[in-house]
Amino acid sequence: MTKDNIKKRCIVLSQGPVPTPEHTQVEGGGLRCWGIAKGLVANNDGLEVTVAYHESYRKEKFTSNFEGVQVTTWNHVDIAKLISDYDSVVVSYCMGELSVEVANSVRPNQQLILDCYVPIYVEVSARESPDLEGEYRAFETDVEKWRHVLRRGDLFLCANPAQKNFYQGVLAAVGRINPVTYSDDMIMIVPYGVYRDEPIAHNKPITKLLGGDRDNVLKIMWFGGIYPWFDVRNLADAVKEVNKTQPAKLIVVGAKNPFNKHPDFIARYDEFIEYVSTKEMKQYVVVQDWIDFNDRADWYLDADVVVVFNKIGEENKLAWRTRLVDFMWADLPVLTNGGDPLGEIMLSHNAAVKMDSLEAKDIASSIIKFLGNDKSKIAQLKSNMHEVKADFYWDTVTKELSRKIQQHSRAKDLEHIGIFSIATGKTKTARSPLGKVIAKSKKVPAYAKKYGYKATGLAIAELIRGNIGSRILGGPTRKSPAYVFVSHQLDMSGAPFIAIDMALEFKASGKSVEFYTYLPTHNQNFAKLNKAGIKPHVMMNKDMVPSFIQGDTVILNTVAHSEVSKEAVFSGAETGKLKQIIWYLHEDDPELLFRPDEQKRIKKMLASGKIKLLVPAHKIWKNYVKYFETEQNIILQPYKHTVPQKYKRVLKAKDFEDKLTFNLPGTVGDGRKGQLPIFYAFVQFYETYYKPHPENYRDFELVFVGVSTDFLSRQILDHARALDGHFSTYGKVTWIQNLDIGAKANFTICYSIREALPLFVFEGMAAGHPILRNDSSGMEEQLFPGKNGYLLDSDDYDQVVKTIESVLNKDTTSNAMLAAMSAYSSKIALRQENNSYTQVLNDKASN
């Protein structure tokens, strides 16, 4: 049997649900995944196609096979195992952690097809967010993820020729257009397509909204979300103007996208609703919520014309408008200002009508002129649209993709040479050390723009030192051994604070300290180190190796170090160049962190004293002792963590009298902090206990800090109304901003999976918060049940609900009891500040 005749298995990964019978509300990403899957099945009976969406969307009634496509769900824990059973994997390159996990998990011989139909680099840049600093920082992080994923793809799907040109530049920038792949065409045009089944109307919902038989009223429709770049108020004004000539109504369908909770999007929607709700405007506008996917034909076919706005700019030149594709499926008369690839195709084929501008008077003029045409001209427009549609059926646009999946087409550089990384540290290459520095100097403007001039200057200095060494600078300028800290990036997460505090204490005790870190960084952390006389060395990526000299002691912070960096440090200790490794590990479950060969290697170094492993909590210490089968040189080292004095307090009984505000900070997207079960536990408490008898309970508010645009965050936001105003959220914030938010609360919740010794709990305790906490690692150090809070059972959801009920119940838990807990929490937090890091330098350090 030839390779082309072997039955192949392909999985298409979606973040959100796909249109199976139980899912009637689906967004564009899920619809595209379903369309690709359906097209592949139509083209190849021998190809087994599965679509998987995130398990959080799974309903009790689950469809496992629909219209010839297998359906399953995925989660972040089992994604690697799930995709291992398939020959080909299709996933968007810009789906956050999902994309990264897939790129990291695919086998070397698996075909990875990256869907690039969303030109995310440009789309994100075009949002014009009022929080440009926050948007830019998020962009910095995301760009590295996109780059990482793109460097593993075999085939890249885009939507149109303009996107293909764009992605040729992107792939060239990440090294995928290279001497090996130059003659191959890895980028395929696979636009968002349409189904062959014709739209059939079963109802006339617009006519019904307008009060029955209103054939004389022009039904002008806007269909889809109202986003920051759309000012639909002009369209409302235009319809008001049209109404002077002929009765007209604007029907706005699905203006508020239930899958998008970005504050900028919500603000634009609210602005529109406020505008059209005035006495003057509400007679001209009807607003309809998001409708079921299978009902959309009813709305399309009951409208006279649908209007589409585009914001002119680079994003519009690349975008493939999914709503416009769906209008094409229904042969709808379309009025648009164009500028986008599909809109221009329609206009060039006389399948749509172009507006002169987006001013209200010009839109009105275009509507009147268009709908004033005789019916034969409108019929011709629809006929032309039908002809355009023939090029975009899903089975047509996926035909070549189906062939490449069957042939298992691979990128030549990945298949024959292997997955590569660009070396920027000390490596043996033909280029001279000075040549490397010259080559890197060309990247300085881009690095400076991205990371700031201070960070870039430090990184360039380290690059010169690492590449040229003694030929110019004589290697490291110091002559004596030092304590060399190697920390992952100095961002605003908790782990860098520990490395910085540890370095400051070593410096204050008279030790010689060198500090290495990686981009990206935050200037606040630089300032803290500089104040103590420590000038950090910033390296451009994690494969760069710090400069060591004979007798150095290396302190590693967290498990997050590259294989190259770990190998350099391990080898240095084993050969005797390094005096010792001190590794502060903040992560639990060592069996998930170390390979068997690393376990064996570290056990030998523990026995010889070449390495000390520090862990922050007693439960973690026991797990590491069990894993490495020794207590020798595995040391319990609690954090020494302080907060500014103004955030330290002890709460009084009156502070709990009226309202309890429960604070749970941390990233939502990976599910590790447990926000979902906590949210739904509060919902159950609210429905079961609070609503029937509010007089028995204190008022309450649940606060999540770190809510983003990931799908778990969006699911929580979708259901926020279940708490009727007792729930609020914040996005990503700085450490000080997080302390400010915590200062407004009077309770802290921890319900984490694989937690170590979470700093946010200590910060809540310093603020005088009683604690609700589960038994994740660090519980023994933070929770004393009944004295400073209550235990939440990780395996008993009902117990969590009952604990919430007990805390909020005025008769069960008095204000005086909570005040006593506040004092105890504060006492424990203050004790944390007395911990010492330099004790680990004593060979007799104990547990």
Side-chain angles (χ1 to χ4, degrees):
M1 183 177 288
T2 65
K3 182 176 77 170
D4 286 359
N5 291 328
I6 298 174
K7 185 179 180 67
K8 294 291 194 304
R9 303 185 75 218
C10 173
I11 186 166
V12 184
L13 297 172
S14 172
Q15 186 75 47
V18 295
T20 51
E22 67 270 28
H23 290 292
T24 57
Q25 292 191 347
V26 189
E27 69 163 352
L31 293 174
R32 176 164 171 83
C33 289
W34 188 251
I36 289 174
K38 289 271 292 178
L40 294 176
V41 168
N43 277 298
N44 189 342
D45 292 336
L47 179 64
E48 181 182 319
V49 181
T50 299
V51 171
Y53 58 86
H54 193 268
E55 64 178 16
S56 62
Y57 292 97
R58 184 174 182 136
K59 296 187 177 182
E60 186 175 350
K61 179 184 177 183
F62 177 76
T63 303
S64 60
N65 190 310
F66 187 57
E67 297 180 346
V69 179
Q70 304 291 325
V71 183
T72 187
T73 59
W74 61 266
N75 61 56
H76 287 284
V77 175
D78 298 324
I79 187 68
K81 181 179 179 182
L82 173 65
I83 65 175
S84 66
D85 291 334
Y86 295 88
D87 302 290
S88 303
V89 181
V90 182
V91 68
S92 166
Y93 77 101
C94 55
M95 205 75 79
E97 295 306 318
L98 169 62
S99 306
V100 173
E101 288 169 7
V102 169
N104 289 341
S105 302
V106 288
R107 301 187 310 271
N109 63 343
Q110 269 184 301
Q111 182 189 51
L112 179 59
I113 301 166
L114 295 176
D115 193 5
C116 306
Y117 93 103
V118 175
I120 193 69
Y121 294 85
V122 178
E123 181 177 289
V124 170
S125 301
R127 288 178 184 168
E128 296 184 356
S129 170
D131 180 19
L132 281 180
E133 182 179 358
E135 192 85 11
Y136 183 67
R137 284 181 181 171
F139 183 78
E140 282 184 303
T141 302
D142 290 340
V143 162
E144 292 304 315
K145 292 178 182 178
W146 304 334
R147 172 182 175 274
H148 175 75
V149 176
L150 289 169
R151 291 181 64 186
R152 177 53 186 89
D154 290 293
L155 298 173
F156 305 88
L157 312 183
C158 68
N160 52 62
Q163 282 193 11
K164 184 168 184 176
N165 291 337
F166 173 75
Y167 280 111
Q168 284 174 332
V170 172
L171 293 183
V174 300
R176 294 307 311 281
I177 294 180
N178 55 58
V180 178
T181 63
Y182 179 76
S183 60
D184 293 337
D185 190 358
M186 299 183 291
I187 306 173
M188 303 180 63
I189 297 178
V190 181
Y192 193 105
V194 298
Y195 299 103
R196 285 190 177 271
D197 59 303
E198 294 295 327
I200 299 174
H202 301 285
N203 294 291
K204 288 191 172 186
I206 297 177
T207 301
K208 185 177 179 180
L209 276 177
L210 299 184
D213 186 12
R214 300 289 296 275
D215 289 338
N216 64 318
V217 177
L218 295 179
K219 292 171 283 189
I220 302 160
M221 185 168 65
W222 172 276
F223 194 99
I226 294 178
Y227 302 140
W229 48 88
F230 297 139
D231 190 352
V232 188
R233 293 175 300 179
N234 280 5
L235 179 56
D237 290 338
V239 172
K240 177 184 174 183
E241 188 68 24
V242 172
N243 190 71
K244 296 176 181 178
T245 303
Q246 181 178 347
K249 290 279 189 179
L250 172 62
I251 299 90
V252 179
V253 182
K256 189 174 185 179
N257 184 343
F259 295 93
N260 194 320
K261 298 299 181 181
H262 194 289
D264 294 346
F265 289 60
I266 294 172
R268 178 47 65 97
Y269 166 80
D270 290 341
E271 178 185 68
F272 174 75
I273 293 299
E274 181 180 358
Y275 184 74
V276 300
S277 298
T278 62
K279 184 177 181 180
E280 180 186 6
M281 294 301 299
K282 63 182 180 181
Q283 60 182 308
Y284 305 111
V285 182
V286 177
V287 178
Q288 169 66 36
D289 288 340
W290 198 267
I291 64 168
D292 288 353
F293 175 71
N294 292 323
D295 293 339
R296 70 198 195 284
D298 293 341
W299 295 82
Y300 290 167
L301 300 180
D302 196 22
D304 293 308
V305 65
V306 63
V307 179
V308 178
F309 287 173
N310 296 316
K311 182 179 180 180
I312 301 303
E314 293 304 313
E315 187 272 342
N316 193 47
K317 295 176 184 177
L318 297 172
W320 193 256
R321 306 292 182 202
T322 54
R323 65 180 76 189
L324 197 55
V325 176
D326 217 38
F327 301 157
M328 176 172 63
W329 166 71
D331 298 331
L332 270 180
V334 172
L335 195 62
T336 178
N337 65 323
D340 62 297
L342 181 56
E344 291 300 314
I345 290 173
M346 291 178 175
L347 291 169
S348 67
H349 287 77
N350 194 28
V353 174
K354 188 169 186 177
M355 294 180 285
D356 294 329
S357 83
L358 297 183
E359 295 296 325
K361 60 180 179 61
D362 293 325
I363 298 172
S365 175
S366 297
I367 293 173
I368 293 169
K369 181 179 179 182
F370 170 65
L371 294 178
N373 287 338
D374 60 56
K375 291 185 177 181
S376 64
K377 289 184 178 179
I378 294 177
Q380 184 61 51
L381 201 74
K382 292 183 176 182
S383 175
N384 294 342
M385 182 72 86
H386 195 79
E387 290 182 14
V388 170
K389 179 169 65 176
D391 292 331
F392 296 103
Y393 292 125
W394 276 116
D395 56 293
T396 300
V397 299
T398 58
K399 186 174 183 178
E400 180 63 13
L401 175 62
S402 176
R403 186 180 69 82
K404 287 190 177 274
I405 290 174
Q406 186 63 39
Q407 292 178 340
H408 204 68
S409 298
R410 299 290 315 285
K412 285 183 180 177
D413 54 345
L414 303 187
E415 188 173 28
H416 301 301
I417 295 179
I419 300 169
F420 64 94
S421 61
I422 301 170
T424 56
K426 289 198 287 188
T427 56
K428 295 181 179 179
T429 67
R431 179 184 283 168
S432 71
L434 183 58
K436 293 179 186 177
V437 175
I438 293 170
K440 285 293 173 186
S441 70
K442 298 175 182 178
K443 299 183 178 181
V444 169
Y447 271 90
K449 183 177 181 181
K450 183 172 182 180
Y451 298 116
Y453 287 99
K454 185 172 183 178
T456 303
L458 289 166
I460 292 298
E462 191 55 36
L463 178 68
I464 295 171
R465 187 177 295 112
N467 276 296
I468 302 179
S470 58
R471 297 189 185 194
I472 293 180
L473 299 178
T477 55
R478 58 189 172 88
K479 301 299 182 183
S480 301
Y483 290 90
V484 182
F485 286 77
V486 184
S487 173
H488 81 313
Q489 62 265 23
L490 294 186
D491 54 23
M492 298 307 291
S493 59
F497 294 151
I498 303 304
I500 292 170
D501 288 344
M502 195 172 183
L504 295 180
E505 185 176 330
F506 274 47
K507 184 73 173 178
S509 68
K511 308 299 182 186
S512 176
V513 172
E514 297 287 325
F515 199 103
Y516 286 82
T517 188
Y518 304 92
L519 294 173
T521 62
H522 197 285
N523 285 342
Q524 289 180 16
N525 293 320
F526 284 157
K528 195 172 182 181
L529 288 166
N530 293 164
K531 189 174 181 180
I534 300 173
K535 186 176 181 180
H537 310 278
V538 183
M539 296 178 288
M540 288 185 176
N541 68 59
K542 290 185 177 181
D543 285 338
M544 288 186 70
V545 177
S547 299
F548 305 129
I549 67 171
Q550 188 71 36
D552 279 345
T553 296
V554 173
I555 295 96
L556 300 175
N557 187 52
T558 81
V559 76
H561 295 275
S562 72
E563 297 303 316
V564 174
S565 183
K566 286 190 292 184
E567 177 60 35
V569 174
F570 287 179
S571 297
E574 290 164 341
T575 60
K577 180 175 183 178
L578 299 179
K579 179 182 178 181
Q580 192 177 52
I581 303 167
I582 299 173
W583 198 350
Y584 205 161
L585 292 151
H586 305 256
E587 300 85 359
D588 201 355
D589 300 323
E591 66 278 5
L592 301 177
L593 304 176
F594 302 101
R595 301 188 308 269
D597 60 304
E598 289 178 321
Q599 179 191 30
K600 183 177 180 181
R601 201 170 179 184
I602 292 171
K603 283 175 68 174
K604 287 183 179 179
M605 289 192 285
L606 286 168
S608 65
K610 292 182 181 295
I611 192 170
K612 287 182 179 179
L613 301 182
L614 313 184
V615 293
H618 190 69
K619 182 179 178 181
I620 303 177
W621 179 82
K622 290 192 293 186
N623 290 340
Y624 274 73
V625 166
K626 180 180 179 181
Y627 179 72
F628 288 109
E629 300 176 329
T630 182
E631 293 185 13
Q632 189 175 0
N633 288 309
I634 302 177
I635 300 168
L636 179 62
Q637 174 59 64
Y639 296 143
K640 177 183 180 179
H641 186 55
T642 61
V643 298
Q645 187 63 38
K646 73 174 185 176
Y647 296 107
K648 300 175 186 176
R649 59 181 181 167
V650 176
L651 300 177
K652 306 300 181 184
K654 62 181 178 62
D655 295 315
F656 299 100
E657 187 172 356
D658 298 323
K659 182 179 181 181
L660 298 187
T661 300
F662 299 86
N663 191 34
L664 200 173
T667 301
V668 177
D670 60 7
R672 192 165 61 92
K673 295 292 184 182
Q675 287 94 340
L676 276 178
I678 289 297
F679 175 80
Y680 292 115
F682 269 87
V683 171
Q684 185 168 330
F685 155 75
Y686 181 66
E687 292 291 336
T688 306
Y689 299 102
Y690 188 92
K691 283 178 73 174
H693 300 287
E695 69 278 1
N696 295 340
Y697 300 96
R698 300 174 179 87
D699 189 13
F700 74 94
E701 182 179 12
L702 177 63
V703 179
F704 286 172
V705 184
V707 175
S708 186
T709 56
D710 59 89
F711 277 85
L712 290 183
S713 292
R714 286 160 64 175
Q715 184 179 34
I716 291 171
L717 292 171
D718 284 342
H719 295 177
R721 61 184 178 276
L723 283 175
D724 287 341
H726 294 273
F727 178 60
S728 60
T729 63
Y730 295 86
K732 295 179 180 180
V733 298
T734 66
W735 179 55
I736 292 297
Q737 288 170 334
N738 188 47
L739 293 178
D740 287 332
I741 295 167
K744 299 174 185 176
N746 50 17
F747 249 91
T748 291
I749 299 178
C750 173
Y751 200 70
S752 299
I753 303 169
R754 288 191 66 197
E755 192 66 85
L757 187 66
L759 293 179
F760 76 85
V761 176
F762 281 123
E763 291 162 0
M765 293 160 70
H769 294 185
I771 304 300
L772 295 181
R773 195 192 195 289
N774 68 344
D775 61 351
S776 58
S777 293
M779 184 198 74
E780 295 91 340
E781 288 81 3
Q782 293 180 327
L783 180 66
F784 299 84
K787 293 184 177 181
N788 76 319
Y790 298 100
L791 177 66
L792 300 178
D793 194 323
S794 298
D795 302 316
D796 189 344
Y797 177 78
D798 290 334
Q799 186 270 347
V800 175
V801 177
K802 290 175 182 176
T803 301
I804 294 168
E805 190 279 333
S806 177
V807 168
L808 284 165
N809 192 306
K810 297 175 185 177
D811 295 330
T812 307
T813 305
S814 69
N815 298 332
M817 291 170 62
L818 296 178
M821 290 181 179
S822 173
Y824 203 91
S825 276
S826 181
K827 177 181 171 182
I828 298 168
L830 287 174
R831 189 188 308 162
Q832 187 78 8
E833 296 184 4
N834 296 324
N835 292 330
S836 171
Y837 291 125
T838 53
Q839 67 168 346
V840 302
L841 303 179
N842 181 356
D843 289 335
K844 296 181 180 180
S846 66
N847 299 312

